[in-house]
Amino acid sequence: MIVNILRVLTLLLLVLAVITFSVNHLYDLKEFPEDVTYFFSVIVIGSPVLVIPSLIAMVGIDLFSIIKLKSAKHWKWLGLDLFVPLLTLFLTFSVLKNWIDSSGMV
């Protein structure tokens, strides 16, 4: 039950990360109102905070199900539980890197 909630959360964050990634690479965020820019900033900063613990929890539960319960169907869930959060983190960190590069901080 809790794994399904975490899966829905990571899928929602993946959708938000794809939207943020697309908007960031197609448009200049300075063109948008401040509220929209703040929303994208919250997604970029907040996604890793939510995705990393859910990734650890989902993989741990899947490995427990595979090893202890001898459940073969959890192999496909393990693949999904690894792919979605890692893709979300990749998209989020690429947007963050782009923001840091464009701000001249580095």
Side-chain angles (χ1 to χ4, degrees):
M1 176 68 177
I2 193 125
V3 176
N4 292 333
I5 294 170
L6 291 174
R7 286 181 183 134
V8 170
L9 173 73
T10 55
L11 283 173
L12 175 69
L13 289 173
L14 176 64
V15 169
L16 291 174
V18 166
I19 292 170
T20 304
F21 182 80
S22 301
V23 167
N24 185 51
H25 286 286
L26 294 177
Y27 303 103
D28 186 17
L29 284 180
K30 295 174 186 167
E31 298 173 3
F32 292 100
E34 191 173 317
D35 294 337
V36 175
T37 307
Y38 178 75
F39 176 71
F40 288 131
S41 300
V42 167
I43 292 171
V44 169
I45 300 302
S47 289
V49 173
L50 295 173
V51 169
I52 292 172
S54 65
L55 170 68
I56 293 168
M58 288 186 302
V59 169
I61 292 171
D62 286 338
L63 289 176
F64 174 79
S65 298
I66 290 169
I67 294 169
K68 289 287 185 184
L69 303 177
K70 306 281 192 244
S71 177
K73 71 177 181 178
H74 283 277
W75 280 105
K76 66 177 178 178
W77 287 115
L78 179 63
L80 180 72
D81 291 344
L82 284 172
F83 177 73
V84 171
L86 292 177
L87 181 62
T88 303
L89 289 172
F90 173 75
L91 293 174
T92 303
F93 286 138
S94 68
V95 170
L96 185 61
K97 179 189 172 298
N98 190 13
W99 285 357
I100 291 172
D101 290 345
S102 66
S103 71
M105 294 170 122
V106 176

